[in-house]
Amino acid sequence: MTSVVTASDAVDPAPALDRAAARRFAREHVAPLAARFDQAGHIAQDTLDRIGAAGLWAPFLPVEYGGRGASMLTLGHIHEEVGRACSSVRSLLTVHGMVSWAVLRFGSPQQREHWLPRLATGAVLAAFCLSEPGAGSDAAGLTAQATRGPQGWVVDGHKKWITGGQRADLFLVFARTGSGIGAFLVPRGTPGVIVTPIDGMLGTRGSMLAEVRLDGAVAGPDALVGPDGFAAGMVMTGVLDLGRYSVAAGSVGILQACLDASARHAAQREVSSGRLRDLQLIQAKLSDMVTDTRAARLLYEEAGRLKDRGDAATLMATWVAKYFASVAAARHAAEAVQIHGALGCGPGHPVERLYRDAKVMEIIEGSNEIQRITIASDAYREAFHE
Ligand SMILES: Cc1cc2nc3c(=O)[nH]c(=O)nc-3n(C[C@H](O)[C@H](O)[C@H](O)COP(=O)(O)OP(=O)(O)OC[C@H]3O[C@@H](n4cnc5c(N)ncnc54)[C@H](O)[C@@H]3O)c2cc1C
């Protein structure tokens, strides 16, 4: 198992952050509350605090900023284990991690010094604001505007479907500048920032979605992440890649949870012709679930290892991992409901929630259609390269 304890941790040892630790945390502090979060439409503050105490908000941040210096592979394992327990909590980890990574990778020294220690502990929770009512898959069509005024950057726009938006303290907002698209750090308390909750989503219902309107929000002179006009290419690509990686791992968590529930139920349930576990049609469903879960895990782990090596091939590996894992999660969550029969349709049953959450995985961080277009274009590029 990957251990991310570094030499400096050895002086003041923190518990190792690895898959086993994440699994213990998720089993103890997340899984028992997942149905309640889903029904209430929010995650309890106590759970958010525990995530911070366990160092799980942005574990890849360097130790000097209060992070754990975790590898991307370990991050995937953490997001798989949390996603196995609750996709709403995993979604919050995803967007918080995306913003933290953007500040680490592209932020100014002042931005890093100010924000990263707060992001590492979860003292500041972050949300990622790209989508708009008229710009989802086609992010380049966004219309939010940022202009330079005497007090620094002023942002106007309407962001929609913002995970964690109801609770976040800091928004990373993508907006047009004169020279391209920029990414801006906008604290929640900024005058002109209006947050409206979105309740009753199909899936990840506990992830506290919101609309975020920016009406002349003065973000200040040091709000832009990376040079002006540079964000569209670098910040957006990098941040979305991390989000996709997290969703791939989280989808594997959903798959594993479907498998756990389905195998347990099939082993116990008696029907007129015997136990479900002995029926070949049920065995076929379970064997496909096992195979796809293992394949999806290998795909995101490959993408994680490529990230850790700094290999640009991780971008396509992540597209493939997220595409495969999200499709498999949606397919097998439907089969998990099928195996449970009416029980799986009942309110508050775990597979009913997994089914709704899995569908969302096919839409966020690049819909299936966009993924297929991107993966196919890479196939053409490769064919001509050879
Ligand atoms: C639960 C949830 C959480 C979210 N959290 C966030 C968040 O934190 N931050 C954020 O910025 N956004 C967030 N989103 C928004 C998400 O990123 C978008 O929903 C996604 O990018 C798709 O955009 P859209 O919904 O506007 O669909 P559209 O772009 O309108 O697409 C509709 C359908 O058309 C298909 N389509 C679109 N273009 C093409 C094409 N060129 N070829 C073929 N088919 C195409 C799509 O695949 C899709 O099936 C969230 C969404 C959900 C559901």
Side-chain angles (χ1 to χ4, degrees):
M1 204 59 66
T2 311
S3 169
V4 293
V5 177
T6 63
S8 58
D9 289 324
V11 180
D12 180 13
L17 258 193
D18 55 18
R19 180 192 284 283
R23 183 177 299 173
R24 277 195 304 276
F25 178 86
R27 275 195 183 155
E28 201 174 323
H29 300 299
V30 182
L33 300 169
R36 196 182 304 169
F37 296 157
D38 184 66
Q39 282 153 15
H42 71 266
I43 311 295
Q45 183 60 42
D46 179 60
T47 304
L48 304 179
D49 293 342
R50 284 181 191 277
I51 293 169
L56 298 179
W57 279 117
F60 53 83
L61 288 176
V63 173
E64 66 189 281
Y65 291 118
R68 303 292 294 275
S71 67
M72 284 293 151
L73 182 62
T74 298
L75 184 77
H77 291 157
I78 293 169
H79 287 199
E80 179 190 332
E81 292 299 336
V82 174
R84 183 176 175 184
C86 176
S87 286
S88 292
V89 173
R90 197 271 311 139
S91 295
L92 295 187
L93 295 187
T94 301
V95 293
H96 184 87
M98 290 162 79
V99 177
S100 303
W101 184 87
V103 176
L104 174 68
R105 179 73 180 77
F106 299 109
S108 65
Q110 293 82 354
Q111 287 170 338
R112 286 205 290 265
E113 215 166 289
H114 180 75
W115 291 115
L116 292 182
R118 294 166 169 83
L119 291 165
T121 59
V124 164
L125 293 187
F128 169 78
C129 304
L130 177 62
S131 302
E132 299 180 359
S137 302
D138 178 22
L142 66 84
T143 59
Q145 292 279 345
T147 48
R148 272 188 214 266
Q151 297 162 281
W153 290 100
V154 179
V155 187
D156 287 278
H158 179 188
K159 297 294 177 179
K160 200 157 183 193
W161 316 120
I162 305 308
T163 296
Q166 292 179 32
R167 173 62 185 76
D169 308 294
L170 180 67
F171 299 107
L172 184 69
V173 179
F174 286 81
R176 292 192 174 285
T177 66
S179 53
I181 296 175
F184 297 87
L185 291 165
V186 184
R188 184 194 194 88
T190 307
V193 174
I194 302 146
V195 177
T196 310
I198 303 174
D199 294 321
M201 294 295 289
L202 171 74
T204 62
R205 275 192 186 164
S207 63
M208 301 185 277
L209 258 68
E211 296 191 31
V212 179
R213 287 177 195 272
L214 301 113
D215 184 9
V218 179
D222 190 31
L224 180 64
V225 178
D228 190 7
F230 163 86
M234 299 294 283
V235 182
M236 209 188 281
T237 302
V239 166
L240 288 173
D241 172 63
L242 186 62
R244 228 166 264 134
Y245 175 65
S246 166
V247 172
S251 297
V252 175
I254 291 177
L255 280 162
Q256 186 64 54
C258 289
L259 186 54
D260 298 341
S262 300
R264 268 198 306 271
H265 181 72
Q268 290 163 0
R269 176 71 171 162
E270 300 266 354
V271 291
S272 58
S273 47
R275 282 183 305 177
L276 277 192
R277 65 176 295 161
D278 298 324
L279 304 181
Q280 288 184 340
L281 282 171
I282 299 297
Q283 290 169 351
K285 291 183 199 300
L286 283 176
S287 66
D288 287 2
M289 227 180 259
V290 169
T291 308
D292 281 351
T293 303
R294 293 176 72 149
R297 184 174 292 127
L298 289 174
L299 285 174
Y300 92 69
E301 288 183 338
E302 180 203 18
R305 288 192 185 94
L306 289 166
K307 286 184 203 313
D308 285 328
R309 291 209 296 268
D311 189 329
T314 190
L315 291 174
M316 189 46 58
T318 301
W319 278 105
V320 171
K322 195 272 179 175
Y323 174 55
F324 186 88
S326 62
V327 171
R331 174 186 163 205
H332 293 299
E335 291 289 39
V337 173
Q338 196 71 16
I339 290 169
H340 283 76
L343 199 60
C345 303
H349 195 281
V351 296
E352 177 262 350
R353 173 169 43 82
L354 291 165
Y355 177 68
R356 290 187 283 103
D357 289 347
K359 182 61 212 171
V360 170
M361 302 307 124
E362 293 193 305
I363 294 169
I364 55 174
E365 310 297 349
S367 67
N368 281 358
E369 289 74 19
I370 300 301
Q371 308 225 308
R372 292 170 114 165
I373 292 167
T374 309
I375 294 167
S377 69
D378 190 63
Y380 293 131
R381 218 177 3 255
E382 288 283 312
F384 284 111
H385 184 67
E386 284 171 6

